[in-house]
Amino acid sequence: MIHVEDTLPPCPECAGEYTYEMGALMVCPSCAHEWAPAEGAGDALGVVKDSVGNVLADGDTVTVVKTLKVKGSPTGIKSGTKVRNIRLVQGVGDHDIDCKVDGIGPMQLKSSVVKKV
């Protein structure tokens, strides 16, 4: 018999063990963090470049190059906002950066809207 606890990874945000699948995403009921499973993500991503062609890596700091609208936020993310400690992921659609934006929270961004600092 297969136990769900044995097959699903813990939450990367809070290390909660009660994660579950919701479509293509994993969800943590403790902190409400959503992420794409990272099985083989390092190999599948290849080289990720920013809007001007610089190669991005995990832990880099980037700035947003254009103002972005965010659902549930009246202001969104303004151009020039610094985002620290990014993580490259195989996200939903063409979103390939997982990060935490100050004042907004955790989210995924496209590499085409950021520039490496």
Side-chain angles (χ1 to χ4, degrees):
M1 185 159 123
I2 298 175
H3 296 286
V4 173
E5 299 86 16
D6 296 336
T7 60
L8 297 177
C11 176
E13 292 290 313
C14 71
E17 58 187 38
Y18 300 109
T19 59
Y20 61 92
E21 292 179 304
M22 184 172 67
L25 296 176
M26 301 294 297
V27 180
C28 176
S30 301
C31 68
H33 178 65
E34 297 178 354
W35 73 98
E39 296 174 358
D43 299 335
L45 281 178
V47 176
V48 178
K49 296 184 177 183
D50 67 4
S51 61
V52 294
N54 297 322
V55 177
L56 297 173
D58 287 349
D60 281 346
T61 298
V62 296
T63 58
V64 179
V65 295
K66 68 180 212 174
T67 302
L68 303 172
K69 293 181 181 178
V70 178
K71 283 185 182 178
S73 172
T75 59
I77 302 172
K78 294 185 180 179
S79 177
T81 301
K82 275 192 181 179
V83 180
R84 292 177 174 77
N85 198 21
I86 65 168
R87 211 173 45 136
L88 302 179
V89 295
Q90 188 73 35
V92 179
D94 53 354
H95 292 75
D96 47 10
I97 296 175
D98 195 22
C99 61
K100 198 176 279 187
V101 179
D102 291 339
I104 303 289
M107 64 176 27
Q108 290 186 347
L109 296 173
K110 297 179 184 180
S111 58
S112 62
V113 297
V114 298
K115 178 179 161 191
K116 188 173 181 177
V117 175

